[in-house]
Amino acid sequence: MAQVLILPGWQDSGPTHWQRLWAARHGDVVVEQNDWRFPRRGDWLARLEEVVIDTPGDLVLAAHSLGCIQVAAWAAMSHQVGRIRGALLVAPGDVEREDLRQQIPGWAPVVQARLPFASVLVASRNDPFCALSRAHAWACAWGSDWVDAGDAGHLNADSGLGEWPEGRALLQRFWKET
């Protein structure tokens, strides 16, 4: 089975977020960042590269919000992408939207290149940080399978997902694929 790397978004995932619950229950590795409040793109990409290099075996990525944007940017520049079995991309944050561009500078434009590994993008119809149409456009650009999560907010702890078994089931598909 592949090791799961958890990629939280801006301001990190709190203790009741599905990402942190997965790490506690399943031993997934959280890619910790030096600065969750003021994320610098280069620092985040370098940290992901470092963790991928230092973690043996095949890997699966489980990204939320800004972590999704990080995956697209990292995949476009890394020589380690062949080790990734797949990526679960959940509720990408629209860093090209004017309010988020000002709060999280340096992340726009979002990389539009097809991901070199299998992926599935899950988005909500009422996510306050990204319109469904934008998330769907990124799924198309990245070559990701698409899952419409309905009205589920930002698919975080506030959404009441708990350990989010539906998301874990989507992630497990990458353990079966070659």
Side-chain angles (χ1 to χ4, degrees):
M1 184 163 66
Q3 175 66 60
V4 176
L5 298 183
I6 300 285
L7 304 172
W10 179 41
Q11 299 182 11
D12 192 9
S13 301
T16 59
H17 191 289
W18 57 266
Q19 287 185 308
R20 292 293 178 168
L21 296 174
W22 287 3
R25 172 170 279 221
H26 304 287
D28 300 343
V29 174
V30 177
V31 177
E32 299 288 353
Q33 297 294 340
N34 289 330
D35 193 341
W36 291 109
R37 289 184 40 97
F38 302 103
R40 295 172 52 115
R41 182 176 171 146
D43 292 348
W44 278 39
L45 298 182
R47 179 66 180 136
L48 176 54
E49 183 79 355
E50 178 181 274
V51 172
V52 168
I53 288 170
D54 291 346
T55 306
D58 290 339
L59 304 170
V60 173
L61 307 177
H64 181 259
S65 195
L66 186 60
C68 300
I69 308 308
Q70 176 188 19
V71 168
W74 174 81
M77 53 74 63
S78 176
H79 296 290
Q80 302 297 317
V81 295
R83 299 200 33 232
I84 308 302
R85 301 269 316 260
L88 175 65
L89 308 169
V90 181
D94 188 353
V95 295
E96 294 179 346
R97 202 172 76 181
E98 191 55 36
D99 60 332
L100 291 180
R101 183 190 295 249
Q102 290 182 18
Q103 292 178 29
I104 313 171
W107 285 87
V110 173
V111 172
Q112 302 287 320
R114 184 176 184 84
L115 295 175
F117 41 78
S119 61
V120 60
L121 191 150
V122 182
S124 167
R125 293 174 177 267
N126 63 343
D127 188 332
F129 300 105
C130 186
L132 189 69
S133 60
R134 294 283 288 162
H136 188 260
W138 287 327
C140 292
W142 296 337
S144 303
D145 291 343
W146 170 252
V147 176
D148 180 338
D151 292 331
H154 194 47
L155 295 160
N156 57 10
D158 293 340
S159 299
L161 300 174
E163 288 192 15
W164 196 34
E166 299 86 357
R168 193 72 185 186
L170 289 170
L171 185 75
Q172 289 173 341
R173 70 193 280 182
F174 300 123
W175 296 323
K176 297 173 184 153
E177 295 178 2
T178 55

